Amino acid sequence: MKCDYVNLFLYDYVDGYLPSAQRNLIHNHLLSCQQCANTVLEQQELTRSLQSLAMPELPEEFNEHALTHAVNFHENTQKTKYFSITNMAIAASVFFAATTGFLLTQQPTQTPLVEMVAENKNEVHGEHLNLVFNSPKALSNVTFTVILPENVEMMGHPGKKRVVWSSQLQAGQNLLSLPIIAKEKSTGTLITIIDYENNSKMFEVKLKNKKLLT
Amino acid sequence: MIKNHKNNANDFITLMQPYMRHINHTAFRLTGNMHDTEDLVQEFLIKIYPRKEQFNQGQNIKPWLTKVLYNTYIDIWRKQKNNPTCKKDNINFTGCDESDEQFNHHICNTLCPEQLTALSETQQELMQLLFSLNNEQRLVLVMHDIEGYSLPELTNIMHVPLGTLKSRLHRARDKMRNLLNDKKVSHDKEVAEG
């Protein structure tokens, strides 16, 4: 048996994936071929070394803190239901309601939760547009496309009107928090397109400037 | 409401505690540094909490937890890759080998000096070689050779066909062995030259 042929199966031999007949053939070749036997030994040594790589431990309190935070994250979300999730956002919305700013109209059948808060400034920094999508089942390989209206940008994507990324949806509610920057008094429609399993769904969120309407 | 919250928290903590060591270790193998490990584990726990009812007593849920952890890692990684301000935006996820510049960028951002110095010299070299692989190759090597998942198990965890996984694993091993041999040759040469 030639080494070139044996080489095709050496890793499968090491991993134990070969049927017994083929395994015996390789085994017999290794008994008479030092070069192939060395390859097997090198690989076994490499695997041993990788498995013995030092594994640092996280701080003792990390687990409890992380577990508690995960519980609080969801329990607090449930309590506030379809409202904004952060204190900052609530505070900003109070400010917004008291003066002017951006008013968001929803497409109720497609976007169960949509809320936007913004300060009454010509340029709004660091606010989030929260969208919640209900998914009947967990979906992997979901592509999100957000198309922004005029004078609205997403943080980290200056000048871009279209932002695309891949993620997944879990069964039930999924919060999509978009860090948007609204420049000047903006109006228009923010479009979110979700592509999954050969399906495509489009959600529209209308952003209107309260002052312009009155 | 408060009592409910407390019960939920206790149930979840009790349920997850036995798996946290495994989760933390796997997360570290995936990310290569403690800071990203903490972020990944936190994100994973937030993701897993609503699905805690799926935990069946007596059933081995480790592979399922690993799958969710892996998917969470990929999500984070892709977000970072797509974000131009992110530290890992130059890493290639499509399977091509990275240039030296990209490789160095990756090493610098993934392995912090404090963690490297905590390892022996041999382990430092090995860790650097591991992170010199492209992400696809490194992940399959970590999950198969270090974490001990079989290729059929990994097709389910990583959503990649068996043949593709196998060729990535073999290329990763070839590359690691070649790099180690090159290092050995150059080390022997240095010793011979005095």
Short mmCIF file of all heavy atoms in Angstrom, two decimals, chain B residues 5 14 17 27 37 41 59 65 71 77 80 83 85 87 105 118 121 132 136 141 168 176 179 186 188-189 191 193:
data_model
loop_
_atom_site.label_atom_id
_atom_site.label_comp_id
_atom_site.label_asym_id
_atom_site.label_seq_id
_atom_site.Cartn_x
_atom_site.Cartn_y
_atom_site.Cartn_z
N HIS B 5 -39.95 35.85 41.21
CA HIS B 5 -38.66 36.25 40.66
C HIS B 5 -37.53 35.50 41.37
O HIS B 5 -36.63 34.95 40.75
CB HIS B 5 -38.50 37.77 40.84
CG HIS B 5 -37.20 38.30 40.29
ND1 HIS B 5 -37.16 39.25 39.33
CD2 HIS B 5 -35.91 38.00 40.59
CE1 HIS B 5 -35.90 39.53 39.05
NE2 HIS B 5 -35.12 38.79 39.81
N THR B 14 -29.65 26.91 40.17
CA THR B 14 -29.47 25.50 40.54
C THR B 14 -29.33 24.62 39.29
O THR B 14 -28.50 23.71 39.24
CB THR B 14 -30.69 25.02 41.35
OG1 THR B 14 -30.90 25.93 42.42
CG2 THR B 14 -30.48 23.63 41.91
N GLN B 17 -25.76 25.63 37.49
CA GLN B 17 -24.49 25.53 38.21
C GLN B 17 -23.64 24.33 37.80
O GLN B 17 -22.44 24.47 37.57
CB GLN B 17 -24.73 25.50 39.72
CG GLN B 17 -24.91 26.88 40.36
CD GLN B 17 -23.64 27.73 40.35
OE1 GLN B 17 -22.62 27.35 39.78
NE2 GLN B 17 -23.71 28.89 40.96
N ALA B 27 -16.17 28.29 26.48
CA ALA B 27 -16.17 29.70 26.04
C ALA B 27 -14.74 30.22 25.93
O ALA B 27 -14.40 30.93 24.98
CB ALA B 27 -16.98 30.55 27.02
N THR B 37 -14.47 35.84 27.13
CA THR B 37 -15.14 34.68 27.73
C THR B 37 -16.29 35.14 28.62
O THR B 37 -17.41 34.61 28.54
CB THR B 37 -14.13 33.85 28.56
OG1 THR B 37 -13.13 33.37 27.69
CG2 THR B 37 -14.82 32.69 29.24
N VAL B 41 -20.18 34.19 27.91
CA VAL B 41 -20.97 33.42 28.88
C VAL B 41 -22.21 34.21 29.30
O VAL B 41 -23.31 33.66 29.39
CB VAL B 41 -20.11 33.02 30.11
CG1 VAL B 41 -20.97 32.40 31.20
CG2 VAL B 41 -19.02 32.05 29.69
N GLN B 59 -31.45 13.88 31.16
CA GLN B 59 -30.97 13.86 29.78
C GLN B 59 -29.64 14.62 29.70
O GLN B 59 -29.46 15.63 30.38
CB GLN B 59 -32.00 14.53 28.88
CG GLN B 59 -31.71 14.39 27.41
CD GLN B 59 -32.73 15.17 26.58
OE1 GLN B 59 -33.87 15.36 27.01
NE2 GLN B 59 -32.32 15.62 25.43
N LEU B 65 -26.29 22.59 25.18
CA LEU B 65 -25.74 23.83 25.73
C LEU B 65 -24.55 24.30 24.90
O LEU B 65 -24.40 25.49 24.63
CB LEU B 65 -25.30 23.62 27.19
CG LEU B 65 -26.41 23.36 28.21
CD1 LEU B 65 -25.81 23.01 29.57
CD2 LEU B 65 -27.33 24.57 28.34
N ASN B 71 -23.32 28.92 18.90
CA ASN B 71 -24.09 29.86 18.07
C ASN B 71 -23.99 31.28 18.61
O ASN B 71 -23.93 32.24 17.84
CB ASN B 71 -25.57 29.43 18.03
CG ASN B 71 -25.76 28.22 17.15
OD1 ASN B 71 -24.97 27.96 16.25
ND2 ASN B 71 -26.79 27.43 17.44
N TRP B 77 -19.28 37.11 17.13
CA TRP B 77 -18.14 37.23 16.23
C TRP B 77 -18.54 37.92 14.93
O TRP B 77 -17.83 38.79 14.42
CB TRP B 77 -17.58 35.83 15.95
CG TRP B 77 -16.26 35.88 15.28
CD1 TRP B 77 -15.04 35.95 15.88
CD2 TRP B 77 -16.02 35.91 13.87
NE1 TRP B 77 -14.06 36.01 14.92
CE2 TRP B 77 -14.62 35.98 13.70
CE3 TRP B 77 -16.85 35.87 12.77
CZ2 TRP B 77 -14.05 36.01 12.44
CZ3 TRP B 77 -16.27 35.91 11.51
CH2 TRP B 77 -14.88 35.98 11.37
N GLN B 80 -19.11 41.57 15.47
CA GLN B 80 -17.83 42.28 15.57
C GLN B 80 -17.20 42.42 14.20
O GLN B 80 -16.62 43.44 13.88
CB GLN B 80 -16.91 41.54 16.51
CG GLN B 80 -17.35 41.61 17.96
CD GLN B 80 -16.46 40.81 18.89
OE1 GLN B 80 -15.74 39.91 18.45
NE2 GLN B 80 -16.52 41.12 20.16
N ASN B 83 -18.85 45.10 12.24
CA ASN B 83 -18.75 46.44 12.80
C ASN B 83 -17.36 47.00 12.53
O ASN B 83 -16.37 46.49 13.03
CB ASN B 83 -19.00 46.36 14.32
CG ASN B 83 -19.00 47.74 14.95
OD1 ASN B 83 -18.57 48.71 14.33
ND2 ASN B 83 -19.49 47.81 16.16
N THR B 85 -15.78 49.39 13.62
CA THR B 85 -15.01 49.91 14.75
C THR B 85 -14.54 48.79 15.67
O THR B 85 -13.86 49.02 16.65
CB THR B 85 -15.87 50.86 15.60
OG1 THR B 85 -17.02 50.15 16.08
CG2 THR B 85 -16.30 52.07 14.81
N LYS B 87 -12.69 45.41 17.15
CA LYS B 87 -11.29 45.02 17.18
C LYS B 87 -10.98 43.81 16.30
O LYS B 87 -9.85 43.57 15.95
CB LYS B 87 -10.89 44.70 18.61
CG LYS B 87 -11.68 43.55 19.22
CD LYS B 87 -11.29 43.33 20.66
CE LYS B 87 -12.07 42.17 21.26
NZ LYS B 87 -11.70 41.91 22.63
N HIS B 105 -2.57 40.92 13.86
CA HIS B 105 -3.68 41.72 14.40
C HIS B 105 -4.54 40.82 15.29
O HIS B 105 -4.93 41.19 16.38
CB HIS B 105 -4.50 42.26 13.23
CG HIS B 105 -5.73 43.00 13.65
ND1 HIS B 105 -5.71 44.32 13.95
CD2 HIS B 105 -7.00 42.58 13.83
CE1 HIS B 105 -6.93 44.70 14.29
NE2 HIS B 105 -7.74 43.66 14.23
N ALA B 118 1.25 33.80 31.70
CA ALA B 118 0.84 32.81 32.71
C ALA B 118 1.07 31.39 32.21
O ALA B 118 1.03 30.44 32.98
CB ALA B 118 -0.63 33.01 33.07
N GLU B 121 6.45 28.47 28.22
CA GLU B 121 6.89 28.92 26.90
C GLU B 121 6.30 28.05 25.79
O GLU B 121 5.84 28.53 24.76
CB GLU B 121 8.42 28.90 26.85
CG GLU B 121 8.98 29.72 25.70
CD GLU B 121 10.50 29.73 25.71
OE1 GLU B 121 11.11 29.64 26.79
OE2 GLU B 121 11.07 29.80 24.62
N SER B 132 -3.18 31.24 15.06
CA SER B 132 -2.74 31.63 13.73
C SER B 132 -3.59 30.96 12.66
O SER B 132 -3.54 31.34 11.49
CB SER B 132 -1.26 31.25 13.53
OG SER B 132 -1.14 29.86 13.36
N GLU B 136 -12.38 29.34 11.07
CA GLU B 136 -13.07 28.08 10.77
C GLU B 136 -12.23 26.88 11.19
O GLU B 136 -12.73 25.92 11.79
CB GLU B 136 -13.37 27.99 9.28
CG GLU B 136 -14.46 28.93 8.83
CD GLU B 136 -14.66 28.88 7.34
OE1 GLU B 136 -13.72 28.47 6.62
OE2 GLU B 136 -15.75 29.26 6.88
N LEU B 141 -10.93 22.55 15.21
CA LEU B 141 -9.84 21.91 15.97
C LEU B 141 -10.11 21.96 17.47
O LEU B 141 -9.93 20.97 18.19
CB LEU B 141 -8.52 22.62 15.64
CG LEU B 141 -7.24 21.91 16.10
CD1 LEU B 141 -7.00 20.66 15.28
CD2 LEU B 141 -6.03 22.82 16.00
N ARG B 168 -11.71 20.78 6.97
CA ARG B 168 -11.18 21.89 7.79
C ARG B 168 -10.30 21.35 8.92
O ARG B 168 -9.24 21.90 9.21
CB ARG B 168 -12.35 22.66 8.44
CG ARG B 168 -13.03 23.60 7.50
CD ARG B 168 -14.16 24.31 8.23
NE ARG B 168 -15.03 24.99 7.29
CZ ARG B 168 -16.19 25.56 7.61
NH1 ARG B 168 -16.60 25.54 8.86
NH2 ARG B 168 -16.92 26.15 6.71
N MET B 176 -0.94 23.08 11.73
CA MET B 176 -0.34 23.09 13.08
C MET B 176 0.94 22.25 13.10
O MET B 176 1.95 22.65 13.67
CB MET B 176 -1.33 22.53 14.11
CG MET B 176 -2.47 23.44 14.47
SD MET B 176 -1.98 24.87 15.46
CE MET B 176 -1.81 24.18 17.09
N LEU B 179 3.72 24.02 11.17
CA LEU B 179 4.26 25.15 11.93
C LEU B 179 5.13 24.68 13.09
O LEU B 179 6.21 25.25 13.35
CB LEU B 179 3.11 26.02 12.46
CG LEU B 179 2.35 26.85 11.41
CD1 LEU B 179 1.08 27.44 12.00
CD2 LEU B 179 3.24 27.97 10.86
N SER B 186 13.91 25.44 13.19
CA SER B 186 14.63 26.70 13.42
C SER B 186 15.26 26.73 14.82
O SER B 186 16.35 27.28 15.01
CB SER B 186 13.68 27.88 13.18
OG SER B 186 13.23 28.44 14.34
N ASP B 188 16.39 24.02 16.43
CA ASP B 188 17.56 23.14 16.35
C ASP B 188 18.74 23.86 15.67
O ASP B 188 19.89 23.71 16.06
CB ASP B 188 17.21 21.87 15.57
CG ASP B 188 16.26 20.97 16.37
OD1 ASP B 188 16.09 21.24 17.58
OD2 ASP B 188 15.70 20.04 15.79
N LYS B 189 18.38 24.68 14.66
CA LYS B 189 19.41 25.41 13.92
C LYS B 189 20.09 26.42 14.84
O LYS B 189 21.32 26.56 14.84
CB LYS B 189 18.76 26.12 12.73
CG LYS B 189 19.73 26.55 11.65
CD LYS B 189 18.95 27.15 10.49
CE LYS B 189 19.89 27.88 9.56
NZ LYS B 189 19.15 28.63 8.54
N VAL B 191 20.33 26.27 18.06
CA VAL B 191 21.16 25.55 19.03
C VAL B 191 22.48 25.14 18.40
O VAL B 191 23.56 25.29 19.00
CB VAL B 191 20.39 24.30 19.57
CG1 VAL B 191 21.32 23.42 20.40
CG2 VAL B 191 19.19 24.74 20.39
N GLU B 193 24.00 26.52 15.93
CA GLU B 193 24.86 27.69 15.66
C GLU B 193 25.41 28.29 16.95
O GLU B 193 26.18 29.23 16.92
CB GLU B 193 24.06 28.74 14.88
CG GLU B 193 23.84 28.35 13.42
CD GLU B 193 22.88 29.28 12.72
OE1 GLU B 193 22.33 30.18 13.39
OE2 GLU B 193 22.67 29.10 11.51
#
